[in-house]
Amino acid sequence: MLFDSHCHLDFPVFDSDRDQLLEQCHRAGIKHICLPATEQCHWPRLQSILGRHNSGVHIWGALGLHPYFLRSHKDEYLEELDQILSQKPENIVAVGEAGLDLLIENPDIERQEELLAAQALIAAHHGLPLILHVRKAHDQTVSLLRKLRFREGGIVHAWSGSDQQAQAFINLGFKLGIGGSLTYERAKRLRRQVTELPIEAFVLETDAPDIPPAGLARGQRNTPLTLVSVLSIMSGLRQFPEKALACQLLNNTRKALKIPS
Ligand SMILES: [Zn+2]
């Protein structure tokens, strides 16, 4: 049984064949998928597809404001987020994607930190973990979360940090999201980290339709089915049987998102 901890199945690129894709996921052993949000205007779209799908795949979600779309976020959306979460909506298991991204154009780090801090406080208030998007800002993210005494943990999606940064996030109770990047042989550091860090530190993800795995052309749509090859590569690298690894990673994801079995 597999859990795609990070996938954007609500994006319109999946509108034409979402149901068939979910059937395929179910057949491939992918039984849980978590959809993190990007912008407030898309929260209703995301919420409308949560729950148990006909195929049997359970779709969970997170609500939040993604740093990549910095310009479209307004302060009032934070209040709205807090209000929605107060109603304890079914199948919403985290706040996110939230985080810091220094690779975007005009990154306005102060505003990014303000939005991340506000979302971390909202998450803490509702006892929810965070799904973090972090690019070239791992140290800043760690120090911000430490300063806020954030204790709910969560997932650092599309893990790309150093060994030290990995340990800092693990100490804060976070898991590291491993996806399509692992399929590239040139991903030397990631491949080494996947073999050296404790197995409890990882969860699987695809970030579909983004982050195409090796073999898929840039710009081509990625899907949650990529999870199967990521698992197989991880199993080879760690010399750990696939089935047992899948089971461990599923438990890690449940733990990170506080989903009881
Ligand atoms: Zn994402």
Side-chain angles (χ1 to χ4, degrees):
M1 232 197 247
L2 294 170
F3 197 139
D4 186 351
S5 67
H6 196 115
C7 161
H8 298 286
L9 206 67
D10 55 315
F11 283 11
V13 69
F14 293 113
D15 280 352
S16 63
D17 64 345
R18 188 175 293 110
D19 286 351
Q20 288 110 291
L21 188 57
L22 283 162
E23 306 274 348
Q24 280 177 290
C25 286
H26 193 262
R27 280 199 296 275
I30 301 157
K31 310 291 184 183
H32 296 269
I33 296 180
C34 180
L35 275 49
T38 51
E39 296 173 80
Q40 177 264 3
C41 59
H42 298 315
W43 290 349
R45 178 182 78 191
L46 183 144
Q47 284 186 279
S48 73
I49 63 169
L50 302 185
R52 191 171 286 278
H53 182 261
N54 290 336
S55 62
V57 178
H58 199 124
I59 306 174
W60 309 90
L63 292 180
L65 304 171
H66 192 307
Y68 190 85
F69 304 96
L70 192 60
R71 309 283 172 256
S72 62
H73 305 327
K74 296 185 182 153
D75 286 337
E76 64 214 57
Y77 300 161
L78 295 164
E79 268 163 61
E80 190 185 336
L81 178 62
D82 190 41
Q83 269 170 19
I84 296 175
L85 296 176
S86 299
Q87 293 155 20
K88 305 214 171 300
E90 247 188 302
N91 303 306
I92 293 288
V93 288
V95 168
E97 302 183 41
L100 303 177
D101 190 333
L102 291 184
L103 293 181
I104 61 173
E105 239 179 277
N106 309 316
D108 192 351
I109 188 71
E110 265 176 51
R111 176 63 176 155
Q112 289 201 40
E113 288 191 329
E114 192 176 274
L115 287 168
L116 173 58
Q119 291 181 87
L121 292 174
I122 292 172
H125 177 233
H126 296 282
L128 291 173
L130 275 173
I131 294 181
L132 292 173
H133 167 104
V134 185
R135 291 200 300 171
K136 299 270 176 229
H138 292 85
D139 293 336
Q140 292 95 316
T141 306
V142 165
S143 64
L144 184 72
L145 294 174
R146 277 195 194 135
K147 210 162 67 189
L148 297 170
R149 301 185 184 284
F150 184 74
R151 306 222 188 284
E152 306 300 326
I155 296 169
V156 193
H157 128 77
W159 176 251
S160 65
S162 69
D163 295 10
Q164 254 179 335
Q165 290 162 339
Q167 201 51 58
F169 276 107
I170 293 169
N171 293 345
L172 275 170
F174 280 82
K175 310 279 186 206
L176 315 176
I178 305 296
S181 306
L182 193 69
T183 61
Y184 294 89
E185 267 174 56
R186 62 168 188 267
K188 295 263 188 279
R189 181 169 74 175
L190 186 63
R191 287 184 160 213
R192 182 181 49 73
Q193 288 175 339
V194 153
T195 60
E196 290 179 0
L197 290 170
I199 194 72
E200 291 77 20
F202 300 109
V203 299
L204 292 183
E205 64 163 69
T206 62
D207 202 22
D210 301 323
I211 316 196
L216 201 67
R218 270 232 161 271
Q220 235 183 307
R221 184 183 80 165
N222 185 17
T223 77
L225 295 165
T226 297
L227 221 55
V228 178
S229 32
V230 178
L231 175 77
S232 142
I233 290 168
M234 197 166 172
S235 153
L237 290 168
R238 277 198 85 107
Q239 311 213 314
F240 199 94
E242 265 187 44
K243 262 199 180 146
L245 182 61
C247 185
Q248 175 71 50
L249 294 167
L250 175 76
N251 286 334
N252 294 353
T253 317
R254 281 186 182 283
K255 220 171 173 184
L257 300 177
K258 304 184 192 183
I259 297 173
S261 44

